[in-house]
Amino acid sequence: LLDTRATAQKPAAKPASKTGDIDLMNVALVLEHQAIAAYDLGAASGLLKGDALALAVHFQNQHKAHRDLLTDTVKKFGGAPAQPLAKY
């Protein structure tokens, strides 16, 4: 027969630390901030026009959605989301 006493005496496993996950998400968040700033710079330069500008805005909106998702997830994990720099 199976001895259940040995199993019952084991301490419960602790949940894995989320620090590594938060750090990784913050690295991704920093990259999203940089991408958003790069698209702002490209749009402000006047070099992008018509379809190229529309596509750049579309891509920037995707980066903003990623930023928002990463920010929310870092907060849910109990971390502080990386903030964008004042100037890139």
Side-chain angles (χ1 to χ4, degrees):
L1 290 175
L2 180 62
D3 183 2
T4 58
R5 290 177 291 160
T7 306
Q9 293 175 357
K10 289 184 182 176
K14 293 182 181 180
S17 170
K18 293 185 179 175
T19 303
D21 293 334
I22 292 168
D23 290 345
L24 183 60
M25 286 186 285
N26 269 326
V27 169
L29 188 52
V30 166
L31 296 173
E32 294 297 349
H33 290 313
Q34 291 174 350
I36 292 165
Y39 282 108
D40 280 341
L41 185 63
S45 73
L47 296 174
L48 301 175
K49 295 181 175 138
D51 290 342
L53 179 59
L55 188 58
V57 169
H58 173 74
F59 288 154
Q60 185 187 49
N61 287 335
Q62 290 178 331
H63 286 290
K64 288 179 178 179
H66 299 159
R67 174 206 57 201
D68 294 345
L69 179 61
L70 285 164
T71 297
D72 290 346
T73 306
V74 167
K75 287 179 183 177
K76 286 179 189 174
F77 275 43
Q83 297 299 308
L85 299 177
K87 185 176 178 181
Y88 288 92

